[in-house]
Amino acid sequence: MALLDGKSLAAELEASLKNEVERLSIRPGLAVIMAGDDAASKIYVGRKEQACQRVGFYSEMVYLPADISQEALLEQVQVLNQRSDIHGILVQLPLPAQIDVTQVLEAVAPEKDVDGFHPINAGHLFNGTPHLVPCTALGVMHLLKSQQIPMLGKQALVIGRSNIVGKPMALLLLQEHATVTIAHSRTPNLAELCLQADIIVAAVGKAKLVTAEMVKPGAVVIDVGMNRSEGKLCGDVDFESVAPKASWITPVPGGVGPMTISCLLLNTLQAACQSLALSGTRG
Ligand code: GUN
């Protein structure tokens, strides 16, 4: 078993981003909107802000009250869409219950949509011409590629069908010519599907769902789970039992999580460079 070390790969990525920013004529700017006071979201948003500071990006956190109206939230997005110093906009999910999430995500200018959640960016990914790609799925691809893990012709199983991780993950693996299966909460034969998989990406949010008996010897196991139990972070994979059977496995924490953040920075840099190219002043 070898560890797919997201923490160190993310640090490498950040170092090269920092280098690129220093040579750029503008400072990439990221705005993060957060509505309400979800405890986990606060931690994630804080990490995004710190990451921006580490690589020299401008960052702006927009904290809004939990009872904010749809109109007021849309207005905030519009203001950020218009700002030339903001190249990336991220609306932290989940949003309060009164908010129409789809409408908010569709209000973000596609060229600033560093989460890749706008239907235009989802459509580009669907068509096989990705522009801005959801950060977690992108981070997993970077991890796999960092070790030249073969995907072509491999059986890949994505557990989870969310727009945030599962669906984009499946499309990216498909683009690398894997044979992709998507399993979800209504899949009756999960263990059987897992046993056939060369690559498993677990992204359901169920602690220790994937156990050793479900994993083929030599499989690559990617754990996207971020489950909190008794104050401890725990993935969707039972790391202790699965690790000895896997060829590669991501730990939680220190696997996919740090890669999500560095890919957000990567997307923000991409959006900033694109805006420069469009204004014809890239220097
Ligand atoms: N909440 C949980 N994961 C994510 C993510 O990747 N992006 C946003 N915006 N919110 C999230």
Side-chain angles (χ1 to χ4, degrees):
M1 179 277 290
L3 214 54
L4 271 172
D5 184 346
K7 199 172 166 192
S8 70
L9 183 61
E12 271 175 42
L13 243 163
E14 276 190 19
S16 75
L17 283 168
K18 191 161 186 269
N19 211 300
E20 270 195 63
V21 173
E22 280 161 10
R23 292 184 291 133
L24 212 61
S25 62
I26 54 164
R27 190 174 183 205
L30 173 71
V32 178
I33 297 178
M34 181 178 160
D37 52 7
D38 182 80
S41 288
K42 267 191 197 160
I43 295 172
Y44 301 146
V45 166
R47 288 203 185 128
K48 290 166 188 177
E49 185 177 22
Q50 286 164 10
C52 282
Q53 285 165 1
R54 286 197 298 272
V55 296
F57 286 11
Y58 172 69
S59 65
E60 196 166 303
M61 304 295 122
V62 182
Y63 292 101
L64 302 171
D67 63 353
I68 188 155
S69 69
Q70 181 78 12
E71 293 66 34
L73 182 44
L74 288 174
E75 176 58 26
Q76 291 285 340
V77 173
Q78 292 306 343
V79 168
L80 294 167
N81 280 344
Q82 299 300 325
R83 291 223 343 233
S84 59
D85 59 333
I86 296 293
H87 307 97
I89 302 170
L90 180 151
V91 183
Q92 187 65 30
L93 302 178
L95 287 168
Q98 76 277 12
I99 299 294
D100 175 346
V101 181
T102 305
Q103 194 185 31
V104 171
L105 297 181
E106 289 184 15
V108 175
E111 68 275 13
K112 296 191 178 188
D113 170 37
V114 286
D115 251 335
F117 293 166
H118 192 285
I120 296 244
N121 288 316
H124 284 306
L125 179 59
F126 182 93
N127 285 347
T129 52
H131 291 199
L132 288 165
V133 173
C135 308
T136 300
L138 188 59
V140 171
M141 295 312 282
H142 274 279
L143 269 175
L144 293 170
K145 288 180 180 178
S146 73
Q147 300 299 337
Q148 292 96 36
I149 291 171
M151 289 177 261
L152 185 147
K154 298 295 178 188
Q155 295 281 348
L157 177 70
V158 178
I159 314 174
R161 56 175 157 177
S162 70
N163 290 345
I164 299 182
V165 184
K167 286 187 209 166
M169 192 68 247
L171 289 169
L172 289 173
L173 288 163
L174 196 58
Q175 192 154 13
E176 296 298 325
H177 314 290
T179 302
V180 181
T181 303
I182 305 179
H184 48 78
S185 53
R186 311 287 177 94
T187 301
N189 56 338
L190 181 63
E192 194 184 313
L193 292 173
C194 268
L195 271 173
Q196 290 165 14
D198 302 303
I199 302 168
I200 297 172
V201 181
V204 272
K206 259 186 125 172
K208 301 189 181 181
L209 174 75
V210 178
T211 53
E213 340 45 282
M214 296 163 75
V215 175
K216 177 162 94 171
V220 176
V221 182
I222 308 288
D223 191 350
V224 181
M226 298 261 260
N227 310 295
R228 274 165 210 283
S229 71
E230 294 158 15
K232 249 189 87 184
L233 194 62
C234 166
D236 289 351
V237 175
D238 180 20
F239 185 89
E240 297 301 318
S241 77
V242 171
K245 282 185 98 174
S247 59
W248 292 96
I249 187 166
T250 59
V252 176
V256 176
M259 291 304 297
T260 297
I261 306 257
S262 54
C263 286
L264 171 65
L265 299 173
L266 202 64
N267 279 350
T268 305
L269 179 70
Q270 186 185 323
C273 288
Q274 191 72 31
S275 81
L276 267 181
L278 290 175
S279 68
T281 57
R282 182 161 189 183

